[in-house]
Amino acid sequence: MVTTTESLTAGPDLSGIRASPRGIKPTPSYRVFTAINIVVLCLVGAVTLYPFLNLLARSFSSESAIRGGEVFVWPVGFNTTTLLSVIDQKLFWINYGNTVVYTVVATVIAMVLTTTFAYVLSKSHLKGRGLLIGLALFTMFFSGGLIPNYMLIVELGFKNTIWAIVLPQAINVFNLLIMKSFFENFPTELEEAAAIDGLTTYGIFLRVVLPLSRAVIATMVLFYAVAFWNSWFPAFLYMDKPELYPVTVFLRNIIAGATGTGEGLSDAAVQIGANVKAVTTVLTVLPIVCLYPFIQKYFVSGVMLGSVKG
Amino acid sequence: MKFPLKPFAIGATAVLALGLASCSGDGGSGDDGGSGEIDADHSVGAMEDFGVGDTFVATEPVEFGLMYRDHPNYPLKQDWSILQHLKDDHNVSFDIQSVPLADFGQKRSLLISSGEAADMIPSTYTADVANLTSGGALLKVSDYLEYLPNFQDKVEKWGLQADLDRTRDADGDFYVLPGLLEIAKPDYTIAIRADLWEEAGLEDPATWDEFTEQLKVIQEKFPELSYPYTERTWSAAGVALPATLQAASGNFGTEAGWGYGDGVTWNGSEFEFSGAQDGYRDMITYFHGLIEDGLLDPEGLTQDEDTAKAKFTTGKVAAISTNSQETTGYRQGLAESGLDDAVVRNIVVPAGPAGNIMDATTGGRFESGIAISAKAADKPYFKAMLQYIDWLYFSDEGLEFARWGVEGETFEGQGADRKLLPGIDWNGVNPDAGDNPKLLNTDFGYYNGVWSLAHGSTAEELGMMVSEETANFRTEMNAEKEIADGGPAVPLDALQREEVAITQTNLEDLVMTATSQFLRGDRPLSEWDAYVEELRAAGMDEYVATINEAAGTAS
């Protein structure tokens, strides 16, 4: 048992268990720990990275190499037949443009609605708060079903418009709850101080709370943007015109064409059939992969802020 | 966080109330009483006299709603020749409801269920919409056959009345006009390395037993092969050898694999449960025997398509399940692997203990067809639309137009001498296509399942625009084999259908699982009787009794 004085002045000897700062010689057990750590993390990294590299390699490999199982992380029999056949199509670019528009508009709408709703729900003095939360939660567990939803969208006149895609999905209850928890843990002193300085509720929200919530906002933007980027089902349901599809529906259809009945196959079809999935996956994830590093630093802290204190 | 129960209760009550309220509303739309008479108000654009041999030309321009299954290999183009000709020569244009080929079935069901489907719904099999007919959103097309002279003519000429009657429901109605075939269009069989067969002094096997003997010879003569014969799974896990079992099943007097259908086989006097038939056991025993003898690659039961293909195209096996299209792929693969001397041939499916028979599904002469929305009957152009459907999908002239295009523009010649013009191709059938040809479907819109249901229909058409090999295969199969009698119609009413649905699924799961187990040897065939008992426990006897009762063949 260490005495109080000693612990105050010197503190317990932590060199054995804590990461050693420069200059202090690490113990052998710590070295082993570090070595195992590095090996395990490298393995985890490889396991995570390999499928992606393999996908990339496949998308540029020849049909026979793919069939023969020769492709690992480097393209074998380099060719771009499938890639060119996909990006040669005018519709691909129209649909890609749609995806960008849908994602941006949907994310903006979703962020406005989710942030404001979550902020309101975080105020415990709000009358009817329980009901509002209940309504939101209700939609998490129950829905009208496919056909009633479809008829609703049609009756609202949303069919074949961007609204069919961006409005029904605008509030994701899970994201809403994360944000609500975040706002609940926001120091009330800051808001009180702002109120004393003369800010209205909107002023507090816009000029104090939001600027200090960048981490959670960035996380939510990422969540929403990725979800809308990858989404195909609402567009598939509510759009009757190919020029309105997002690129996901387009690519999904290409895969179906390449792996389906094979009606009207061209000469390149065999090659396309072999790696169309790889090519389309690469084309779809590429923008998100490029975007991710810029948001990632907010991402970790944002999710932790919200979820842990729920 | 405290879970708020009260709001939930309020919300749930409200939703329930709303739901009930909407249920009590108008439930039956599109009921036309089934009179089948079309009055003048619904005859805009229709021809006075329209019969077999007449070309349909609307008397004034009409626009029909069309659910269009958009195939990515030939995406819809507004300037397609087929659309131009239909508009200029036949006064017909379309309000297109485009649905991507991927998940076409799902959206079709949704659109029909919600009453939002377009007037015409092509690329549809009877079974696709069997569960959607009770909603009243589909037209009882059987009430309007008098407006479809070409359809009736072909059904009668080609002896398809019994098959058509089999698609009727308990009320005697049917909702889909199937694409019609003059002769059956079998496609699945086994491809062999004909060069190895020849080297071993063998000819194509006439029976499955002979096939076994030949595989033994091949195995001995070519020890470098890892197995003489492999299989590909073709479909999601759960169904072993679906294509080959279907192809073989008729010869064993049963139905299996993709041809399993509702799980009953007609024995000439009543329906029997296929999965419990002696023929089914014999067939399983046969294929299990091939595995046991090391002739059939055991991985063939589980491996994915690519693995199976790789084995064949790299020369590790000498036989593999196939269809005409796959065989083309095998040839390319072999050439790429440098096996230039390899010759691939599709054999005629060998005969079996029950005879030389195509199962009823393989021998079936219905293709994907066309359904019509009930609300189309309220449209002023209803009669004209039926005439258009009859002409395009069922008249000789319409069939040729939808498949070949227009003489002088896309093809030349008459009858069996027709050929595509130079510079135009479809699937490599035109030797004069030259480099970079225009494609019949992609660039002109012809040979498109939306406007050409059966891709051929007549025996003459079926023999054209396919490779000689495919044409020969079809001819030989049709010439050598009988087609199994599918038995009488089984018109289950809605209640019966619901009753048997779960039993049917359970039984099918049992059969498919046991089939794989028996084939692999995970379960010895000595347990066959125990397996049949399991089927009984799952309601096999009751199921078969219901079917026989509905068919009027209950004993």
Side-chain angles (χ1 to χ4, degrees):
Chain A
M1 182 79 190
V2 192
T3 67
T4 321
T5 338
E6 267 172 349
S7 69
L8 272 178
T9 50
D13 178 19
L14 293 175
S15 61
I17 48 168
R18 193 187 278 170
S20 65
R22 217 177 285 270
I24 300 174
K25 201 180 167 207
T27 61
S29 61
Y30 182 73
R31 282 173 190 238
V32 173
F33 172 70
T34 313
I36 292 174
N37 238 355
I38 289 172
V39 170
V40 169
L41 287 178
C42 282
L43 281 176
V44 170
V47 166
T48 320
L49 208 58
Y50 174 75
F52 191 73
L53 289 179
N54 180 254
L55 205 65
L56 213 56
R58 270 171 173 266
S59 58
F60 292 104
S61 294
S62 76
E63 186 258 342
S64 58
I66 295 171
R67 297 243 186 271
E70 298 161 19
V71 183
F72 298 103
V73 294
W74 201 250
V76 180
F78 186 85
N79 87 76
T80 52
T81 313
T82 310
L83 186 70
L84 292 180
S85 90
V86 173
I87 64 176
D88 255 4
Q89 301 191 36
K90 211 169 79 189
L91 200 57
F92 171 78
W93 294 108
I94 295 174
N95 289 169
Y96 220 102
N98 289 342
T99 294
V100 174
V101 173
Y102 295 159
T103 304
V104 170
V105 174
T107 309
V108 169
I109 292 177
M111 284 310 296
V112 170
L113 293 180
T114 310
T115 320
T116 46
F117 194 16
Y119 185 66
V120 167
L121 292 184
S122 72
K123 297 296 162 223
S124 51
H125 57 78
L126 178 77
K127 284 205 179 77
R129 174 171 174 261
L131 179 71
L132 288 177
I133 295 175
L135 282 178
L137 280 178
F138 187 83
T139 64
M140 235 177 145
F141 302 107
F142 303 99
S143 78
L146 199 58
I147 295 167
N149 269 338
Y150 181 80
M151 294 171 86
L152 175 69
I153 297 291
V154 172
E155 294 297 316
L156 287 171
F158 285 175
K159 204 171 87 168
N160 288 327
T161 68
I162 184 175
W163 309 118
I165 292 175
V166 301
L167 289 184
Q169 321 286 324
I171 294 179
N172 176 310
V173 180
F174 178 75
N175 292 351
L176 179 76
L177 294 181
I178 292 183
M179 280 208 114
K180 173 178 149 295
S181 307
F182 177 83
F183 288 137
E184 275 171 356
N185 290 295
F186 198 82
T188 40
E189 294 79 3
L190 282 178
E191 291 181 62
E192 283 162 7
I196 290 168
D197 284 347
L199 278 181
T200 60
T201 308
Y202 295 102
I204 294 171
F205 177 63
L206 292 173
R207 295 167 69 176
V208 176
V209 177
L210 282 189
L212 290 170
S213 312
R214 252 176 296 179
V216 78
I217 287 173
T219 310
M220 290 300 119
V221 167
L222 186 72
F223 276 2
Y224 274 122
V226 171
F228 284 120
W229 186 274
N230 290 333
S231 130
W232 63 275
F233 197 63
F236 158 74
L237 285 185
Y238 305 130
M239 301 297 188
D240 287 343
K241 298 187 168 77
E243 62 271 20
L244 294 174
Y245 296 151
V247 74
T248 37
V249 174
F250 176 84
L251 295 177
R252 204 179 149 77
N253 206 27
I254 295 249
I255 293 176
T259 53
T261 56
E263 254 178 77
L265 287 179
S266 63
D267 291 342
V270 180
Q271 170 66 40
I272 293 173
N275 63 355
V276 68
K277 275 187 193 165
V279 169
T280 51
T281 314
V282 168
L283 285 172
T284 327
V285 301
L286 212 54
I288 296 289
V289 170
C290 295
L291 192 69
Y292 198 79
F294 299 102
I295 304 188
Q296 192 251 359
K297 61 176 173 180
Y298 299 106
F299 178 67
V300 179
S301 58
V303 175
M304 299 301 287
L305 283 170
S307 58
V308 171
K309 300 165 187 169
Chain B
M1 190 184 74
K2 191 170 157 279
F3 200 69
L5 275 178
K6 206 166 127 195
F8 259 103
I10 297 170
T13 316
V15 168
L16 259 178
L18 273 175
L20 287 174
S22 61
C23 278
S24 59
D26 174 34
S29 59
D31 181 19
D32 296 292
S35 66
E37 279 297 319
I38 303 175
D39 58 25
D41 289 346
H42 300 96
S43 302
V44 172
M47 291 167 68
E48 280 288 302
D49 291 306
F50 175 72
V52 177
D54 293 334
T55 303
F56 172 74
V57 183
T59 54
E60 59 182 274
V62 279
E63 187 183 65
F64 305 140
L66 173 67
M67 190 188 292
Y68 183 83
R69 180 221 54 185
D70 202 359
H71 200 298
N73 294 1
Y74 43 97
L76 178 71
K77 290 187 194 134
Q78 293 299 336
D79 61 350
W80 267 347
S81 163
I82 190 168
L83 292 173
Q84 295 303 323
H85 280 289
L86 283 172
K87 191 172 181 189
D88 298 343
D89 307 342
H90 304 277
N91 269 334
V92 171
S93 56
F94 302 102
D95 176 15
I96 285 181
Q97 182 176 46
S98 180
V99 180
L101 169 76
D103 315 287
F104 175 68
Q106 188 178 10
K107 184 151 176 187
R108 175 180 53 206
S109 302
L110 174 74
L111 289 169
I112 293 173
S113 310
S114 59
E116 293 289 326
D119 298 330
M120 296 185 284
I121 310 163
S123 316
T124 297
Y125 287 90
T126 303
D128 292 335
V129 292
N131 295 322
L132 301 171
T133 53
S134 55
L138 288 180
L139 183 80
K140 282 178 195 166
V141 73
S142 45
D143 289 342
Y144 297 94
L145 292 183
E146 61 180 297
Y147 301 99
L148 303 164
N150 286 295
F151 178 78
Q152 284 188 303
D153 178 55
K154 292 247 186 313
V155 166
E156 197 195 317
K157 233 171 35 192
W158 294 346
L160 290 166
Q161 191 61 50
D163 297 281
L164 187 64
D165 288 341
R166 215 172 286 143
T167 69
R168 291 179 191 269
D169 63 13
D171 299 328
D173 303 316
F174 59 88
Y175 296 81
V176 173
L177 294 171
L180 308 175
L181 296 173
E182 190 175 353
I183 56 166
K185 220 164 72 168
D187 199 19
Y188 286 88
T189 181
I190 289 169
I192 57 167
R193 281 280 301 279
D195 51 327
L196 302 187
W197 248 252
E198 201 170 303
E199 213 180 310
L202 300 170
E203 297 197 338
D204 289 4
T207 65
W208 285 103
D209 286 336
E210 195 183 334
F211 184 57
T212 311
E213 296 309 315
Q214 295 190 345
L215 290 176
K216 284 182 185 156
V217 174
I218 293 286
Q219 190 178 34
E220 255 170 52
K221 196 155 168 59
F222 305 99
E224 69 273 19
L225 297 171
S226 45
Y227 283 96
Y229 167 37
T230 196
E231 271 280 352
R232 46 192 296 170
T233 45
W234 301 89
S235 69
V239 189
L241 315 186
T244 305
L245 288 190
Q246 178 182 346
S249 62
N251 303 303
F252 288 88
T254 185
E255 291 175 7
W258 278 330
Y260 176 84
D262 49 10
V264 290
T265 304
W266 179 249
N267 72 359
S269 55
E270 61 173 356
F271 286 101
E272 290 179 357
F273 191 75
S274 317
Q277 283 183 305
D278 291 346
Y280 198 90
R281 188 190 56 211
D282 294 345
M283 183 179 66
I284 301 298
T285 311
Y286 173 79
F287 283 98
H288 171 64
L290 289 184
I291 292 179
E292 224 174 25
D293 295 346
L295 300 172
L296 170 57
D297 176 10
E299 284 178 13
L301 297 174
T302 48
Q303 71 197 352
D304 61 32
E305 291 188 42
D306 289 350
T307 317
K309 268 189 198 176
K311 285 181 183 169
F312 189 74
T313 55
T314 51
K316 290 189 186 117
V317 296
I320 186 170
S321 44
T322 191
N323 62 20
S324 52
Q325 183 199 331
E326 289 302 335
T327 298
T328 315
Y330 295 150
R331 292 203 179 104
Q332 283 172 355
L334 282 162
E336 277 180 38
S337 307
L339 293 164
D340 295 324
D341 299 335
V343 182
V344 184
R345 186 167 61 228
N346 292 353
I347 59 170
V348 170
V349 177
N356 202 0
I357 300 168
M358 263 191 256
D359 66 288
T361 312
T362 309
R365 290 188 288 147
F366 283 168
E367 270 281 346
S368 92
I370 180 168
I372 302 169
S373 282
K375 64 180 186 197
D378 302 330
K379 303 278 172 70
Y381 51 69
F382 180 52
K383 188 170 170 185
M385 193 181 88
L386 289 179
Q387 292 176 344
Y388 152 82
I389 289 174
D390 186 58
W391 173 77
L392 182 75
Y393 295 109
F394 302 107
S395 76
D396 289 346
E397 191 184 55
L399 289 165
E400 177 183 285
F401 167 70
R403 195 168 187 236
W404 287 84
V406 175
E407 192 179 352
E409 185 187 337
T410 49
F411 74 97
E412 59 188 356
Q414 305 262 320
D417 296 328
R418 276 170 296 175
K419 56 180 189 185
L420 292 172
L421 289 175
I424 299 177
D425 202 359
W426 184 84
N427 211 13
V429 294
N430 187 3
D432 305 327
D435 295 332
N436 240 337
K438 287 192 164 189
L439 299 176
L440 197 54
N441 51 7
T442 318
D443 298 306
F444 296 91
Y446 301 106
Y447 212 114
N448 178 340
V450 174
W451 290 296
S452 178
L453 295 176
H455 285 323
S457 250
T458 62
E460 179 182 280
E461 285 287 356
L462 284 171
M464 301 183 73
M465 271 212 258
V466 291
S467 66
E468 210 181 317
E469 178 179 39
T470 307
N472 289 344
F473 176 74
R474 283 181 192 160
T475 315
E476 283 169 31
M477 286 284 285
N478 273 295
E480 288 180 20
K481 290 183 181 293
E482 289 173 52
I483 295 172
D485 181 4
V490 184
L492 295 171
D493 59 37
L495 191 70
Q496 281 172 318
R497 209 179 309 145
E498 249 170 61
E499 270 175 15
V500 299
I502 297 173
T503 320
Q504 192 180 332
T505 315
N506 290 344
L507 287 170
E508 183 168 345
D509 288 348
L510 266 176
V511 172
M512 294 305 160
T513 312
T515 303
S516 306
Q517 289 172 336
F518 284 132
L519 285 172
R520 269 199 305 267
D522 291 353
R523 193 172 180 182
L525 275 152
S526 55
E527 282 188 28
W528 178 266
D529 290 341
Y531 151 73
V532 174
E533 277 311 311
E534 284 167 29
L535 291 174
R536 283 220 171 83
M540 172 180 77
D541 292 340
E542 293 80 2
Y543 174 66
V544 175
T546 311
I547 298 279
N548 275 320
E549 194 182 327
T553 51
S555 47

